[in-house]
Amino acid sequence: MRFADGVRRSADAGGMLHHLFGVRSRGLFGELADTASASYLSGLLIGHEIHAAGISGQPVHLLCTPQLADIYRQALDVLGLESSTLDSNAVTHGLFRLASRLKK
């Protein structure tokens, strides 16, 4: 079990606390290797975050570091959601443009 398995599990009934407890119990029963538990847990948490956002059928625009965008894109792909990555410096550039207009 890895990241994608955690993302898929986040869509199952039971809620996040139930799923989090499952990570530990799967490890104890040998269903989840120690080396895979961090990746599975990450997928589980990100999957729950996406579900909580209520995203359905609309593209998700990722505005973050390229490394973080890759992780979220993987999760969105597993859930069958479209995504695009915006320039991670867009917020900084936008704030500078706003500030320059406020000075006038």
Side-chain angles (χ1 to χ4, degrees), residues 1-60:
M1 291 188 182
R2 299 247 155 82
F3 181 79
D5 296 320
V7 173
R8 281 189 283 277
R9 176 73 171 134
S10 71
D12 293 345
M16 186 164 60
L17 289 178
H18 174 73
H19 296 156
L20 291 173
F21 181 76
V23 175
R24 180 69 180 136
S25 62
R26 286 178 180 203
L28 291 172
F29 289 108
E31 298 172 14
L32 183 61
D34 289 343
T35 56
S37 62
S39 180
Y40 179 79
L41 179 59
S42 179
L44 192 62
L45 292 172
I46 290 173
H48 274 283
E49 179 184 0
I50 292 168
H51 292 298
I55 301 164
S56 60
Q58 54 191 346
V60 176

Side-chain angles (χ1 to χ4, degrees), residues 47-98:
H48 274 283
E49 179 184 0
I50 292 168
H51 292 298
I55 301 164
S56 60
Q58 54 191 346
V60 176
H61 304 287
L62 302 169
L63 181 58
C64 52
T65 65
Q67 297 85 356
L68 195 56
D70 286 341
I71 294 167
Y72 274 84
R73 188 179 317 103
Q74 288 176 37
L76 291 161
D77 287 347
V78 168
L79 297 173
L81 297 169
E82 184 183 337
S83 67
S84 66
T85 303
L86 304 175
D87 178 8
S88 61
N89 294 311
V91 172
T92 305
H93 294 298
L95 289 173
F96 277 115
R97 288 186 70 188
L98 278 173

